[in-house]
Amino acid sequence: MKIIELKQDIFRENEVTADGVRKELSDANTLMINVMSSPGSGKTTTLVRTINMLKDKYKIGVMECDIDASVDAETVQKAGAYAIQLHTGGMCHMDAAMTKQGLMELDCKDADLIFIENVGNLVCPAEFDTGAHLNITILSVPEGDDKPAKYPLVYEVSDVVLINKIDAISVFDFDTDKCIERIKACNPKSEVFLLSSKTGEGFEGWISWLEGKLGGR
Ligand code: MG
Ligand code: ZN
């Protein structure tokens, strides 16, 4: 009986495409960041504030990936980024081939920074390398401090975790220390920033870390 391990093949092929995308961006001196989270944790709001704080110094592009609608792309475009809306056609994650297609359409050739706002989902986006240089996960306070224990892979592959909506911390039973401990258990090297995209609290740390990664341009 011939057995084909389809999933393995898909991942291997994706890996090759992702490495190609990454190399092309590196050659163009463009940093690409993949942003993941569950729906409603504030990806777009976080991007808007980040864009506002960086747009005078850097050329920024955003690929908004949703199953449908284009409200997020319109929002980030208004904030001053080059934006494109990608409809994943029902797909619940981005892969490297989809990223490649999006980059060709995104009219932002000499960008310093490109964000992929991945589909709101903590499971499969973590399994597919998008070709980004860095992965970020946003965890919002109302979701609970146990998210890293329940969805370890997305935290394992993330270089940075932004704990968002800290302005609401008094309303929720959210243990910050325990949450950070759980994030570090998934990835000890992960950077964690506590912030509020609504009020702007805590953004200095995140922005200066990001500027460090953009250094020298
Ligand atoms: Mg969004
Ligand atoms: Zn998926």
Side-chain angles (χ1 to χ4, degrees):
M1 174 61 77
K2 196 171 177 185
I3 299 170
I4 301 160
E5 302 292 345
L6 212 48
K7 210 173 176 188
Q8 296 307 321
D9 281 351
I10 288 169
F11 284 137
R12 208 170 303 124
E13 197 185 312
N14 185 63
E15 211 61 44
V16 172
T17 311
D19 285 339
V21 167
R22 206 160 18 245
K23 185 174 183 305
E24 217 165 286
L25 289 166
S26 298
D27 290 346
N29 201 25
T30 300
L31 180 73
M32 185 161 75
I33 299 180
N34 173 36
V35 184
M36 297 175 285
S37 83
S38 44
S41 56
K43 287 190 296 300
T44 308
T45 320
T46 303
L47 286 180
V48 165
R49 195 173 276 280
T50 301
I51 291 161
N52 274 318
M53 291 172 82
L54 294 176
K55 67 180 174 193
D56 293 339
K57 279 164 93 174
Y58 308 97
K59 188 170 176 183
I60 306 171
V62 181
M63 291 193 278
E64 287 288 344
C65 313
D66 289 290
I67 288 168
D68 209 341
S70 62
V71 282
D72 288 350
E74 286 159 25
T75 306
V76 296
Q77 192 156 41
K78 249 180 243 157
Y82 294 78
I84 190 170
Q85 180 74 51
L86 303 179
H87 285 169
T88 56
M91 272 275 253
C92 44
H93 62 266
M94 283 290 286
D95 64 19
M98 292 159 84
T99 305
K100 198 172 170 178
Q101 213 182 331
L103 284 170
M104 282 193 288
E105 298 296 330
L106 182 70
D107 190 23
C108 192
K109 291 293 167 241
D110 48 349
D112 299 299
L113 176 62
I114 292 175
F115 288 107
I116 301 170
E117 184 181 326
N118 215 315
V119 182
N121 171 359
L122 289 175
V123 186
C124 36
E127 294 185 73
F128 287 87
D129 190 338
T130 57
H133 299 97
L134 296 165
N135 287 323
I136 288 182
T137 294
I138 301 177
L139 162 61
S140 69
V141 163
E143 293 171 68
D145 53 41
D146 57 355
K147 274 284 179 304
K150 288 182 180 168
Y151 301 93
L153 185 62
V154 73
Y155 295 94
E156 247 170 64
V157 302
S158 287
D159 304 281
V160 177
V161 177
L162 303 178
I163 300 180
N164 189 25
K165 305 191 188 178
I166 53 159
D167 52 298
I169 210 150
S170 61
V171 188
F172 294 91
D173 203 9
F174 189 92
D175 188 329
T176 307
D177 292 340
K178 202 164 263 175
C179 187
I180 294 172
E181 202 178 288
R182 285 169 175 152
I183 292 165
K184 298 279 184 182
C186 298
N187 178 7
K189 284 190 278 188
S190 178
E191 297 277 347
V192 182
F193 297 100
L194 295 151
L195 48 79
S196 164
S197 302
K198 191 179 165 193
T199 66
E201 186 185 348
F203 260 72
E204 313 74 35
W206 151 238
I207 295 294
S208 79
W209 182 89
L210 188 50
E211 287 210 81
K213 294 290 170 191
L214 286 163
R217 66 185 82 204

